[in-house]
Amino acid sequence: MKEKMNGFITAVHRERYEVRANGEDLYARLKAGIYYTDHCEEEFPTVGDNVELEYNPLGDCLIIKTMERKTAFSRKDPDVGMGEQIVAANFDYVFILMSLNYDFNLKRLERYLTVSWQSGGQPVIVLTKADIAEDTQEKLELVNQIALGVDVCVVSAVTGEGMEQLKNYLVPEKTTVFLGSSGVGKSTFTNYLLGKELMETGEIREDDSKGHHTTTHRQLFVMDNGARIIDTPGMRELGMWVVDDGIDFSFTDINDLIIQCRFSNCTHNGEPGCAVAQALKEGTLTEKRWKNYWKIQKESEFQAAKESRKQAVIKKKSNKKSRGEW
Ligand SMILES: Nc1nc2c(ncn2[C@@H]2O[C@H](COP(=O)(O)OP(=O)(O)OP(=O)(O)O)[C@@H](O)[C@H]2O)c(=O)[nH]1
Ligand SMILES: [Mg+2]
Ligand SMILES: [Zn+2]
């Protein structure tokens, strides 16, 4: 007797999916007649996706439908020529982990923020390793300057400092995805929240602070209270996708200036009377931040143009491609 049920994807292997359904962990495959066809309309599921299952107690569990995503985090597919790869879906919050130690880098943080806003999820900045950090207060101020309207938490998985503040997000039915460079402590944090050593963690070389890319796949866990968390591998390079929407949020101060600018066709390139030029002169906007804005803006325009050309050609193909590990 075949039975239909709903579940969500907790891990993706080459052809096997780990699914949680009715509080149980199952393995499932994609139903061939639905996903592996020339006219397949279904998106290949990814971690966090809600799916419909056909459950046969005597045989396999088959995925027959990928539900519509409310949020998604994508990156360029590492296989040349392929389009977008969805790396996580349906999360509510994006915890951007950055170590207060060597990893601290505001430019990178701005990129993570941009990508987070673009995903549709709500970013929260989590500054890790407070127990071994110096200049925490100074760094916190720098972060607050670029993270307008974003909650910033300082935590330590060693002392437990700051964990209380994050409980507002880690609530039943809500999903949080962890992003951040290798070695910032995503898996340590995951284990701390689960109260179990479920993810392997790696020592980092203290001389150059490089992590070893300990985690190699994405994994969704359900905490005892029902909150869902997704641990991810460190992203060696953050492939920028179309980020137009994202930029409006992480650079709200600059967008305000651009709106204020009294010349509608201003290039904000030093024209007298330009609101941006004025802010730069007064020092309310730093030269560095303005350059960053442009760099990201240019990069995203470039990516968008490149991708839209590519997408037009491979749209069909990329939708059908089986997803590998990330
Ligand atoms: N002192 C201190 N060390 C920490 C803390 N959190 C993590 N670490 C250490 O940082 C190192 C890297 O931690 P991981 O949790 O493996 O880092 P990760 O972000 O999962 O790294 P990848 O899986 O490679 O992406 C380990 O040696 C941890 O023990 C912390 O709050 N304080
Ligand atoms: Mg890890
Ligand atoms: Zn202007």
Side-chain angles (χ1 to χ4, degrees), residues 182-183 185-188 199-202 213-216 231-234:
S182 185
K186 298 179 294 298
S187 300
T188 307
M199 288 302 291
E200 196 190 327
T201 60
H213 302 276
T214 308
T215 306
T216 53
D231 189 12
T232 68

Side-chain angles (χ1 to χ4, degrees), residues 277-296:
Q278 186 67 22
L280 285 168
K281 199 172 135 213
E282 285 168 3
T284 48
L285 173 65
T286 63
E287 200 67 56
K288 203 170 144 206
R289 184 163 165 72
W290 177 237
K291 279 207 183 109
N292 260 350
Y293 172 81
W294 269 110
K295 192 161 165 277
I296 291 183

Side-chain angles (χ1 to χ4, degrees), residues 254-271:
I254 293 180
N255 283 299
D256 284 350
L257 287 172
I258 286 172
I259 291 164
Q260 271 169 42
C261 194
R262 59 195 160 105
F263 310 110
S264 58
N265 60 351
C266 186
T267 64
H268 319 296
N269 224 332
E271 285 98 327

